[in-house]
Amino acid sequence: MNHTINDPAIDVDRQKRDALLAGRLADPFSFLGPHRIGDKLVIRTFQPGARAVDIVLPGAGISDHGELVESLLNLDQSGLFVSSAPMLAADQAYLLRITWPAPEGGELVQITEDPYRFGLLLGELDMHLLGEGTHRELGRCLGANPMTIDGVAGTRFAVWAPNAQRVSVVGDFNQWDGRRHPMRLRMETGVWELFIPRLGAGARYQFEIVGIDGNVLPLKADPVARATEAPPSTVSIVAPATPFQWTDEQWMRDRSRRHSLDAPLSIYEVHAGSWLRNPEEGGRNLNWHELGDRLIPYALGMGFTHLEFLPIMEHPFGGSWGYQPLGLFAPSARFGTPAAFASFVDRCHAAGLGVILDWVPAHFPSDEHGLARFDGTALYEHQDPREGYHQDWNTLIYNLGRKEVSSFLIASALEWLEHFHVDGLRVDAVASMLYRDYSRKPGEWVPNVHGGRENLEAVAFLRELNQVVRQRCPGALMIAEESTAWPGVSAPVEEGGLGFTHKWNMGWMHDSLHYASLDPLYRSHHHNEMTFGLVYAFSEKFVLPISHDEVVHGKGSLLNKMPGDDWQKLANLRAYLGFMWTHPGKKLLFMGCEFGQMSEWNHDGSPQWDLLDQPAHRGVQRLVRDLNRLYEGEPALHELDCSPQGFEWVIGDDAANSVFAFLRKPASQGAAPVLVVVNMTPVVRHGYRIGVPAYGRSPTVWRELLNSDAEVYGGSGVGNAGAVNSEPHPAHGQAQSIQLSLPPLSVLVFKPEG
């Protein structure tokens, strides 16, 4: 075609052209795409390396690619193709036919719509919610979302980077060239957006950002990517738009009942990467389908009600166990696709098993492809390292006082609860969020506006998080890992609390584990470590956690915390587990502890499953299974877990013999209590009298429900022949009493008949 010296196709804004060629064009829609200039429609497209670009009309015509309208001029051979097409209306659809050189010679022809002919993408409601920090569906607003616009299928990209000079989408589709697909800035929210036609699920992409100082940053992963490549790759993946077809309607309807405070809650904590490795394939971890085949029936057979996974959100360093995540909307590709994870959850629900995920809103790693200085500024983190740098973990701390950041985290929580149907989140490191001086020396922290150490922004965030979850996700568990005496962690927000449904009882865990680790000779001097937990046991809605943190970093396995020879170690472990399962509070046990693993946990290996070839370890496993069944089957052991009416000391002061006895009571009228007797010495005690309530006619038969010293568990078999009769001898404030033989290092559980 011919162009005159005054042709608007040639007479371009040289400043914008130079900015485009240099990868610095901040407002690409003002220059690229169709523009009416006088009576002509000027079209500009940047296709560096292309041999030719033509404008064609959609549909059949001269060729299968549509009717040729005009060929574009490669201006100065720069890859900027321009043309004026007077026969096109300003709003008329057109296609770009791009001819590329083929690697093996010849040519490749690409037909696509022009990304720069599409108007604004995010609607008014999205922009309003983004602006006020209340958008709860960020995974369907920001990030990469396949969709159809004006009849054209493609993917809409959007990312928050308010201080960037330029943001581009890069990927295989544009040879990772940041000049090819610069995005439009929506200045009112700081969000950049672009629709790329004919790009669909599975496409690899990242964001190339020119920071506030004009420098190109390292390529950034999408903060709200819903799929990723497996590390060490840092690439984000366009996730399919097709929703997963759930079959768990009945489970979701019943979940509130299953999660009520009077329901049993017994959690098996699992690291998905190391629960069971495949030794025949180099020790690789199982994927979600394989875990569904193996883990679900195992946990169910053991009597657990829920699985809790260490964080499965995408994380760059496997040695962090997931506690330094960067993909807060994406299940780690180490275990399969997002759809595969959804299928795993669906299978759990079909089997009657709940799923809880550990979730980390306290901090994030400083990897350059992640959130750190995302647009060249401290965007997600605090600028001041006294607020924004976590010294213990060499990580960055979220700026929770910034509405966009708190909105990002709440949307992440909802992604798992709503879109993946998980049944709860265990919120990690809450104590580090609540205190500005957490693990800091004087002068290393910034007081709040009142001069105090409380992190008021974190408190507000946690309350908002828990309120939103309660409103949108009925029955979902929100469990705090909080290790201090902060009041009201599990109290409702309207009563001044933080609004969690439960809190880990770290004090009980530390005291009871220390007691259990002592030689029985010295336990009498530490008797209060087993009883003190009942002073505050009902101040919060507690979970008793024996978690991964207690069996790593030189702490040894749970079994090897116990004193004595091999037999005593196993007996101590059985007694400790029996005490835990009969103590008020919901239960959590880390994998491997249920059969007495001997070595501490190694995330690069698997639990020592071969120990189950030994009867003693099979006995521990059987005990945990029977404890779970007893806990679920006896209302007295779970209905009043969080109420003082459910517990009564019978013997709490026999320090000399290291014996404890207590009653657990049900809420249900007519249901019987259970009596728990604990002997934490290796001495058999015959004729030990314990007071019991009077029931009906005397004598009452107290049936033995469990004896942790039974031979079937690997014990010595000392017991009471399965039952004892009460006697009309008052003791310990009770109207009657029973005489027992207390096995060594044991827990006994009795229930009155009739």
Side-chain angles (χ1 to χ4, degrees):
M1 73 181 175
N2 296 320
H3 294 272
T4 66
I5 192 65
N6 295 319
D7 194 325
I10 296 176
D11 187 19
V12 300
D13 183 321
R14 294 289 167 164
Q15 186 175 2
K16 289 187 176 181
R17 186 202 69 168
D18 292 345
L20 173 70
L21 299 182
R24 294 295 189 275
L25 184 60
D27 185 13
F29 281 82
S30 68
F31 184 66
L32 297 175
H35 294 271
R36 178 64 62 184
I37 300 178
D39 63 346
K40 293 187 176 182
L41 185 68
V42 175
I43 297 174
R44 306 186 189 101
T45 182
F46 186 52
Q47 306 293 342
R51 288 182 175 174
V53 179
D54 302 315
I55 298 174
V56 298
L57 294 180
I62 296 175
S63 71
D64 291 339
H65 302 312
E67 180 181 352
L68 176 65
V69 173
E70 192 171 9
S71 296
L72 279 67
L73 173 67
N74 189 351
L75 194 63
D76 299 331
Q77 299 300 306
S78 62
L80 175 60
F81 289 83
V82 296
S83 175
S84 56
M87 65 180 295
L88 288 180
D91 59 351
Q92 186 172 357
Y94 63 88
L95 300 173
L96 301 176
R97 183 170 67 195
I98 308 169
T99 302
W100 301 97
E104 66 280 0
E107 296 179 338
L108 295 174
V109 175
Q110 175 190 7
I111 302 290
T112 185
E113 290 75 10
D114 186 349
Y116 298 97
R117 77 166 179 83
F118 293 88
L120 298 178
L121 303 176
L122 295 175
E124 291 183 6
L125 179 59
D126 282 328
M127 298 303 287
H128 171 74
L129 296 175
L130 287 169
E132 68 177 17
T134 59
H135 206 304
R136 305 308 185 205
E137 293 277 348
L138 288 186
R140 306 310 181 275
C141 172
L142 302 182
N145 285 279
M147 60 182 58
T148 298
I149 298 179
D150 296 339
V152 178
T155 297
R156 185 192 69 196
F157 294 88
V159 62
W160 180 55
N163 304 303
Q165 290 190 14
R166 187 263 295 165
V167 180
S168 296
V169 187
V170 295
D172 298 324
F173 50 88
N174 62 13
Q175 290 74 55
W176 301 89
D177 186 342
R179 302 172 300 165
R180 293 271 300 277
H181 286 98
M183 305 173 78
R184 171 198 284 123
L185 173 63
R186 305 293 296 274
M187 296 189 65
E188 61 268 44
T189 59
V191 170
W192 300 74
E193 63 178 16
L194 185 68
F195 178 70
I196 301 183
R198 306 197 183 199
L199 192 69
R204 306 167 71 244
Y205 73 99
Q206 286 182 294
F207 294 115
E208 183 180 277
I209 299 176
V210 176
I212 195 171
D213 58 1
N215 292 322
V216 178
L217 303 175
L219 291 181
K220 294 288 188 178
D222 183 356
V224 297
R226 292 183 289 118
T228 66
E229 285 192 334
S233 173
T234 61
V235 170
S236 303
I237 302 292
V238 178
T242 305
F244 182 78
Q245 297 302 306
W246 294 93
T247 64
D248 63 349
E249 294 84 359
Q250 186 64 47
W251 170 276
M252 299 300 283
R253 282 195 297 267
D254 293 346
R255 189 172 68 179
S256 293
R257 175 183 57 80
R258 293 174 180 269
H259 290 173
S260 63
L261 292 178
D262 63 357
L265 183 65
S266 182
I267 303 166
Y268 186 48
E269 189 190 32
V270 171
H271 178 249
S274 63
W275 180 74
L276 183 65
R277 293 185 177 272
N278 188 328
E280 297 177 356
E281 298 182 33
R284 71 163 178 85
N285 60 262
L286 302 186
N287 59 38
W288 288 120
H289 178 75
E290 293 166 323
L291 284 167
D293 289 342
R294 303 293 295 274
L295 176 57
I296 292 175
Y298 177 77
L300 279 176
M302 287 297 296
F304 290 100
T305 64
H306 288 70
L307 294 170
E308 178 176 322
F309 288 101
L310 278 60
I312 62 158
M313 300 81 194
E314 192 59 88
H315 49 283
F317 176 47
S320 76
W321 316 327
Y323 289 102
Q324 294 190 12
L326 282 175
L328 266 67
F329 291 71
S332 176
R334 294 170 174 86
F335 313 114
T337 65
F341 173 64
S343 178
F344 174 84
V345 175
D346 203 43
R347 291 176 67 183
C348 285
H349 290 173
L353 194 63
V355 178
I356 302 168
L357 301 182
D358 284 7
W359 181 68
V360 188
H363 60 117
F364 60 91
S366 58
D367 299 58
E368 62 180 11
H369 73 277
L371 301 178
R373 300 193 67 82
F374 186 78
D375 64 356
T377 68
L379 189 61
Y380 287 87
E381 69 272 34
H382 291 274
Q383 175 70 32
D384 189 333
R386 294 176 299 169
E387 297 181 279
Y389 176 69
H390 207 300
Q391 301 173 117
D392 289 355
W393 301 313
N394 192 30
T395 53
L396 302 175
I397 299 171
Y398 286 106
N399 183 354
L400 296 173
R402 192 164 196 168
K403 60 185 179 182
E404 296 91 346
V405 175
S406 62
S407 174
F408 166 79
L409 290 169
I410 292 173
S412 165
L414 293 175
E415 183 75 16
W416 303 101
L417 294 167
E418 293 185 335
H419 293 284
F420 285 107
H421 286 205
V422 302
D423 301 294
L425 300 175
R426 197 278 286 178
V427 182
D428 184 64
V430 171
S432 76
M433 302 172 68
L434 292 174
Y435 299 95
R436 287 177 163 266
D437 63 344
Y438 183 89
S439 195
R440 295 181 187 272
K441 299 175 183 176
E444 295 179 346
W445 58 282
V446 180
N448 64 32
V449 293
H450 305 298
R453 60 196 287 254
E454 299 82 8
N455 190 324
L456 304 179
E457 295 81 7
V459 171
F461 162 74
L462 292 171
R463 287 174 170 165
E464 182 183 12
L465 166 71
N466 288 319
Q467 283 181 307
V468 169
V469 169
R470 186 175 68 175
Q471 292 164 2
R472 295 177 61 118
C473 309
L477 298 168
M478 293 295 289
I479 305 170
E481 184 210 18
E482 203 286 310
S483 55
T484 75
W486 185 282
V489 172
S490 58
V493 172
E494 55 269 24
E495 296 177 10
L498 295 183
F500 286 95
T501 63
H502 297 80
K503 170 182 171 174
W504 273 16
N505 194 336
M506 309 292 280
W508 173 89
M509 179 271 296
H510 284 295
D511 288 350
S512 63
L513 275 183
H514 179 260
Y515 177 93
S517 70
L518 296 171
D519 188 298
L521 284 173
Y522 305 113
R523 286 176 176 170
S524 62
H525 304 293
H526 297 267
H527 196 75
N528 67 311
E529 293 182 2
M530 292 284 269
T531 60
F532 181 64
L534 273 304
V535 173
Y536 59 85
F538 310 108
S539 62
E540 300 276 4
K541 303 170 185 71
F542 280 124
V543 173
L544 309 182
I546 300 299
S547 74
H548 63 281
D549 279 329
E550 311 319 314
V551 294
V552 289
H553 298 323
K555 296 179 183 178
S557 68
L558 188 60
L559 176 64
N560 277 328
K561 295 180 191 299
M562 307 299 160
D565 57 24
D566 289 346
W567 190 94
Q568 288 193 0
K569 284 179 182 291
L570 288 160
N572 267 295
L573 176 59
R574 294 193 304 269
Y576 182 77
L577 292 171
F579 175 72
M580 173 182 173
W581 250 259
T582 55
H583 190 285
K586 309 307 180 184
K587 323 301 176 190
L588 179 141
L589 190 66
F590 185 59
M591 64 184 197
C593 297
E594 78 273 18
F595 59 82
Q597 173 157 319
M598 299 180 69
S599 61
E600 71 175 21
W601 173 51
N602 172 16
H603 70 272
D604 288 324
S606 288
Q608 294 172 290
W609 295 108
D610 59 312
L611 289 176
L612 290 174
D613 293 334
Q614 301 178 25
H617 291 272
R618 287 202 308 274
V620 175
Q621 184 190 49
R622 181 168 182 171
L623 174 68
V624 172
R625 183 181 66 233
D626 289 352
L627 284 169
N628 272 328
R629 291 174 176 172
L630 183 66
Y631 172 62
E632 183 172 8
E634 289 297 328
L637 289 175
H638 63 254
E639 284 187 340
L640 294 175
D641 259 335
C642 303
S643 171
Q645 285 71 40
F647 180 89
E648 180 183 349
W649 278 117
V650 178
I651 301 174
D653 58 357
D654 189 1
N657 292 311
S658 297
V659 170
F660 312 83
F662 51 86
L663 291 167
R664 294 296 311 278
K665 301 177 181 180
S668 309
Q669 287 193 358
V674 298
L675 172 70
V676 180
V677 185
V678 184
N679 176 18
M680 293 303 289
T681 70
V683 178
V684 178
R685 304 193 185 280
H686 295 292
Y688 193 96
R689 185 172 295 277
I690 298 175
V692 294
Y695 290 100
R697 292 181 300 175
S698 182
T700 300
V701 177
W702 286 77
R703 183 72 57 192
E704 187 179 85
L705 302 182
L706 183 134
N707 178 354
S708 69
D709 189 53
E711 292 180 356
V712 70
Y713 302 136
S716 62
V718 173
N720 297 275
V724 293
N725 292 331
S726 65
E727 301 174 357
H729 299 297
H732 306 117
Q734 303 292 337
Q736 298 182 354
S737 60
I738 55 177
Q739 287 196 79
L740 298 177
S741 292
L742 305 186
L745 298 169
S746 66
V747 169
L748 302 175
V749 182
F750 293 89
K751 179 180 178 181
E753 287 189 349

